[in-house]
Amino acid sequence: INAEYLGESIHTMRGKGKRRGGSVGGRGKGKRNKRRRANSDEQPLAQPAPPAVAPQPLFMVEDEIEEVASAPSTYQILLSSLGASTHEPAQSSDEDQDDEEEEEADEEAEQIEEAESAHGDEDDVLDASEDVDMQVDNGEASQLQDDELKDPDSESSEDEDDMGVHVETAQVIQSLTAFQRDITSVVNTSVDFVYGQRTHTNADEIRQVYVKHALDLVMHNRRRILKNSEKIKKAQLKGETVDECRDQGFTRPKVLILLPFKNSAKKVVELILQLRPQMSSEQVSNKARFFKEFSDEDGDETGEQYKGRKPEDYIATFGGNTDDNFRLGISFTRKTMKLYAPFYSSDILIASPLGLRMITGAEGDKKREYDFLSSLELVVLDQTDVFLMQNWDHVTQIFSVLNQLPKTSHGADFSRIEQIYLDGQSAKKRQTLLFSSFLTAEMNSLVKRFCKNEKGKQLKKAAYDGSISEVVAQVQQIWQRFEVSNVQDIADKRFDAFCTQVWPRLKSSMQTHTMIFISSYFDYVRVRNFLRTEEASVASCCEYTKAADITRNRSFFYHGRKQILLVTERFHFFYRYRLRGVRNIIFYSLPEHANFYPELLNTLTDSSAASVLSLYCAFDALQVERIVGTGRTDRMCRSEKSTYLFC
């Protein structure tokens, strides 16, 4: 087992990064690869000569094969709610600074505004004490700036501010579509919500819902803190005692939004600015710096270079800046909004799993910092299916440190911290919103392990008609089920089925131009090493293959110099090449993305003489459902027949 198999270089896709990461994640080679990926399909290759001897069919259709009916299943929506709660959702925020810190903050804000007006787009003014890379204020940073506190007699100003927020919210509610109202009705109940029907067409509507929900939470917390602070200040001036006001957590951040690429983060920030129209550009600190760092280097924000060459979902995902290593803190005051705020002084955190993991680290690391995640009330995961193509371990590691008791106080006022935080039970009041194009076992496990919301959970998934209906090529598709009784034995049983049932027929036949599709990188390494020991003619393309090697291997396979091409799902996800010269396909494991199945089959060179074989087991039911349809899944995974034919 080599280092590549162990995955020492944790996968991150080649994006627009400026350097390579360390043990936590890699970085891309910049726009050179982007141009090469965009133009790669424009390189014509000469048509290979046909084989001298007519090949024998690789996979014979035997009598015991059951032909699958093509009737589609009826649509079903699973909406389950677990648990109930009588606990009123407490809103928390952060404590106030003293008067001296208020004066310093005001002076700093004035300096920033003067510098921004003087330099225009060169908005690089930062707090000298702020760590730009880590964006973590390790001092005893306060949770709520005193410049947010007004004079106790200025209640009319607060009322006017609240009125403006309510009017703006009412306008947003009126503009919601029916789809958005359905999601909002669930999100506003504070339950954990898992939505498995996200597409590139409804992505903007979903984004508007959770951004508005996050802003409502932050502003509600802020108003509550200000109201109680004024109440306490008035009582102190009059020499009176005041009832206990527990309205805060250990730290200030209340919202965490996890996104895969900078292009998604840019859309979220742009939406925040749209929902807060009362803030002019002069009231948003570091705005020019943000748009400079989060925009595409070539100015292609909509993926124009991919149009006509790549599918629409690829353009929606990779149009713009595809750097996957970022983190951003956003803080709000009554009149201003600050981007690149230190984490302990932020209200909303926007980060990629890799960017946040580089701060939180892993168990055993000497330098770890995750106290700023101790008081979160809302966690949003958008485009969760893309996280699977990056590194899912980052997501699970981040969730393992959410809402933990902090190691230090960070200047918290314990007299105003809610009891649920002091008891170490704050995870029970945290709401998690997960949006994905499909649901997987990894996502279900994440929700079951780390989502402890006492309000309960709701899950919404589609009943699939099956992407197999999108196959245009007239080709026989054989699905072969192998038996496995324990989920831990899936990898070994799948490998045994390939070695004993598939490879002998492939080796003895005269079939050429066979592509083997493998969803897992670890399975890919295992099969590649096996074929090398068998001295097979193999070319391989995975997410770690260099650009020059990809071009060479594709050419060798197309011209017949290599008989077998190994391809991983991550490779196809990030490149979406139209692989030429494919005459036979073996799905060693089914793709998580159901649209990949018809995409690959529709690239077959000669479908009349082609063959397609798919290996699966009962534990692959989620992948089977998305490809063949919900109505056929139970029969194909549970019946006595183990072989099925689609024509």
Side-chain angles (χ1 to χ4, degrees):
I1 302 178
N2 55 25
E4 189 177 18
Y5 180 85
L6 295 176
E8 292 181 354
S9 176
I10 296 180
H11 170 69
T12 56
M13 184 50 203
R14 302 180 178 93
K16 288 189 174 294
K18 299 180 181 179
R19 63 182 185 276
R20 286 194 173 273
S23 60
V24 179
R27 298 294 301 273
K29 294 185 178 180
K31 56 186 178 183
R32 182 182 63 183
N33 280 345
K34 190 171 185 179
R35 295 195 193 97
R36 173 175 45 75
R37 292 197 302 269
N39 300 323
S40 60
D41 293 336
E42 300 300 325
Q43 301 175 359
L45 299 174
Q47 179 67 27
V53 182
Q56 298 296 324
L58 176 59
F59 305 110
M60 302 299 295
V61 181
E62 302 175 357
D63 295 338
E64 67 271 14
I65 295 180
E66 178 178 349
E67 184 169 350
V68 181
S70 60
S73 61
T74 58
Y75 182 84
Q76 299 176 349
I77 295 180
L78 177 60
L79 184 63
S80 60
S81 179
L82 304 176
S85 170
T86 58
H87 178 75
E88 187 68 20
Q91 305 294 337
S92 67
S93 182
D94 305 319
E95 71 171 41
D96 313 324
Q97 289 183 333
D98 52 29
D99 294 336
E100 294 180 358
E101 293 176 329
E102 175 188 2
E103 295 175 358
E104 295 176 359
D106 291 339
E107 292 176 359
E108 176 189 352
E110 293 176 0
Q111 294 175 0
I112 292 177
E113 292 179 1
E114 293 175 0
E116 290 175 344
S117 61
H119 295 284
D121 291 339
E122 297 179 0
D123 187 8
D124 294 328
V125 180
L126 298 174
D127 185 358
S129 62
E130 177 181 341
D131 186 343
V132 178
D133 292 329
M134 296 296 292
Q135 294 187 32
V136 175
D137 183 6
N138 291 318
E140 295 184 352
S142 65
Q143 301 179 21
L144 188 62
Q145 304 287 347
D146 266 351
D147 60 351
E148 299 180 17
L149 301 178
K150 302 180 297 298
D151 185 80
D153 297 330
S154 61
E155 295 182 2
S156 59
S157 299
E158 179 64 27
D159 293 338
E160 292 175 1
D161 184 42
D162 290 346
M163 184 179 300
V165 173
H166 294 320
V167 171
E168 177 188 341
T169 303
Q171 294 174 349
V172 173
I173 291 176
Q174 292 176 0
S175 65
L176 293 179
T177 64
F179 171 74
Q180 290 176 318
R181 286 194 292 270
D182 290 341
I183 296 182
T184 301
S185 63
V186 179
V187 170
N188 287 345
T189 60
S190 299
V191 299
D192 291 336
F193 184 44
V194 180
Y195 186 79
Q197 302 179 50
R198 185 191 187 278
T199 65
H200 65 279
T201 57
N202 63 17
D204 291 337
E205 294 180 274
I206 292 175
R207 188 179 297 112
Q208 292 175 8
V209 171
Y210 70 71
V211 169
K212 178 190 173 297
H213 184 61
L215 286 176
D216 288 345
L217 174 62
V218 170
M219 297 307 163
H220 181 81
N221 282 341
R222 175 180 172 271
R223 291 194 298 270
R224 186 185 183 196
I225 291 292
L226 294 177
K227 183 178 179 180
N228 288 338
S229 297
E230 291 177 4
K231 180 180 177 181
I232 294 173
K233 190 173 292 186
K234 287 181 179 179
Q236 291 176 346
L237 293 175
K238 295 179 181 179
E240 299 175 353
T241 59
V242 65
D243 295 335
E244 189 176 56
C245 296
R246 294 193 175 273
D247 52 9
Q248 300 180 10
F250 292 108
T251 54
R252 180 170 176 174
K254 289 295 175 288
V255 178
L256 171 64
I257 302 177
L258 291 177
L259 302 168
F261 302 118
K262 280 187 175 181
N263 55 11
S264 300
K266 182 185 176 185
K267 294 177 182 178
V268 169
V269 174
E270 289 176 339
L271 189 55
I272 292 176
L273 295 175
Q274 293 176 10
L275 295 176
R276 301 282 293 172
Q278 69 274 22
M279 290 186 178
S280 62
S281 58
E282 291 79 10
Q283 294 173 313
V284 181
S285 301
N286 301 322
K287 181 178 179 181
R289 175 192 170 193
F290 169 80
F291 283 102
K292 179 181 178 181
E293 295 183 1
F294 281 73
S295 297
D296 184 74
E297 294 179 359
D298 300 329
D300 184 9
E301 298 295 335
T302 58
E304 290 291 336
Q305 61 177 320
Y306 299 131
K307 291 184 178 179
R309 303 188 186 98
K310 308 292 183 181
E312 292 183 359
D313 63 299
Y314 182 92
I315 298 174
T317 302
F318 293 97
N321 192 332
T322 55
D323 187 1
D324 60 355
N325 184 4
F326 65 91
R327 47 193 176 270
L328 178 72
I330 303 177
S331 64
F332 296 93
T333 63
R334 186 166 60 92
K335 296 182 179 180
T336 63
M337 168 182 166
K338 183 177 181 180
L339 302 173
Y340 295 97
F343 276 5
Y344 284 99
S345 301
S346 300
D347 297 298
I348 298 178
L349 305 177
I350 301 176
S352 65
L354 171 62
L356 194 58
R357 174 76 182 278
M358 294 183 71
I359 296 178
T360 60
E363 188 174 354
D365 293 348
K366 293 182 178 180
K367 292 185 178 180
R368 301 186 66 189
E369 184 65 47
Y370 51 82
D371 285 354
F372 57 89
L373 303 174
S374 62
S375 303
L376 294 176
E377 295 184 12
L378 175 64
V379 176
V380 180
L381 297 90
D382 196 8
Q383 298 176 264
T384 311
D385 51 295
V386 181
F387 298 155
L388 291 170
M389 298 293 102
Q390 293 177 327
N391 193 320
W392 186 254
D393 184 60
H394 294 338
V395 179
T396 57
Q397 287 293 333
I398 290 171
F399 266 78
S400 67
V401 298
L402 296 183
N403 294 91
Q404 301 293 316
L405 291 174
K407 298 178 181 179
T408 59
S409 63
H410 298 284
D413 183 357
F414 285 86
S415 65
R416 296 185 64 175
I417 295 179
E418 295 182 57
Q419 191 62 42
I420 193 171
Y421 290 98
L422 298 175
D423 294 340
Q425 301 294 319
S426 61
K428 293 183 178 180
K429 67 174 296 184
R430 186 190 74 231
Q431 182 184 23
T432 302
L433 305 179
L434 188 152
F435 301 99
S436 177
S437 299
F438 51 85
L439 300 181
T440 66
E442 292 85 354
M443 299 178 193
N444 294 336
S445 175
L446 182 79
V447 173
K448 183 177 180 181
R449 291 176 56 193
F450 299 111
C451 297
K452 306 297 183 181
N453 190 347
E454 59 189 2
K455 291 288 186 180
K457 302 180 180 69
Q458 290 195 15
L459 179 145
K460 189 172 184 179
K461 64 185 291 290
Y464 297 92
D465 292 333
S467 64
I468 196 172
S469 61
E470 301 174 13
V471 176
V472 178
Q474 298 296 320
V475 56
Q476 290 184 345
Q477 307 160 50
I478 300 176
W479 287 59
Q480 180 69 48
R481 190 182 73 222
F482 61 92
E483 301 300 329
V484 56
S485 58
N486 192 327
V487 66
Q488 297 175 339
D489 298 331
I490 294 178
D492 293 334
K493 293 293 185 179
R494 190 186 306 273
F495 182 71
D496 291 340
F498 176 81
C499 295
T500 58
Q501 301 177 27
V502 179
W503 172 245
R505 284 182 287 177
L506 180 61
K507 185 178 181 180
S508 60
S509 69
M510 301 182 63
Q511 287 283 13
T512 61
H513 296 273
T514 300
M515 182 182 72
I516 302 179
F517 181 92
I518 307 175
S519 60
S520 168
Y521 175 76
F522 299 104
D523 287 338
Y524 158 82
V525 174
R526 192 174 190 179
V527 172
R528 183 197 62 188
N529 294 342
F530 169 76
L531 294 179
R532 287 178 177 176
T533 59
E534 294 289 323
E535 298 182 352
S537 177
V538 180
S540 57
C541 292
C542 72
E543 55 270 27
Y544 301 112
T545 307
K546 296 180 180 180
D549 294 336
I550 292 175
T551 303
R552 182 175 60 254
N553 290 340
R554 291 177 63 198
S555 177
F556 284 175
F557 176 74
Y558 182 76
H559 291 284
R561 297 175 63 181
K562 296 292 184 180
Q563 304 302 320
I564 300 175
L565 177 66
L566 297 183
V567 174
T568 64
E569 183 171 7
R570 284 179 176 177
F571 171 82
H572 189 66
F573 174 81
F574 285 109
Y575 290 96
R576 299 293 273 276
Y577 287 134
R578 184 177 178 86
L579 299 172
R580 301 172 183 176
V582 179
R583 299 176 185 172
N584 306 282
I585 300 178
I586 298 175
F587 286 94
Y588 179 88
S589 51
L590 298 176
E592 294 286 357
H593 297 77
N595 57 310
F596 289 0
Y597 186 86
E599 275 186 20
L600 295 173
L601 264 64
N602 290 335
T603 62
L604 290 170
T605 302
D606 184 6
S607 59
S608 61
S611 61
V612 178
L613 173 68
S614 301
L615 288 177
Y616 74 100
C617 67
F619 292 102
D620 296 327
L622 293 176
Q623 295 95 311
V624 173
E625 179 186 22
R626 291 192 289 271
I627 297 176
V628 304
T630 304
R632 307 184 184 105
T633 302
D634 187 69
R635 177 156 56 101
M636 292 181 63
C637 292
R638 298 179 182 274
S639 69
E640 296 180 358
K641 294 283 186 179
S642 61
T643 307
Y644 297 85
L645 172 66
F646 291 85
C647 298

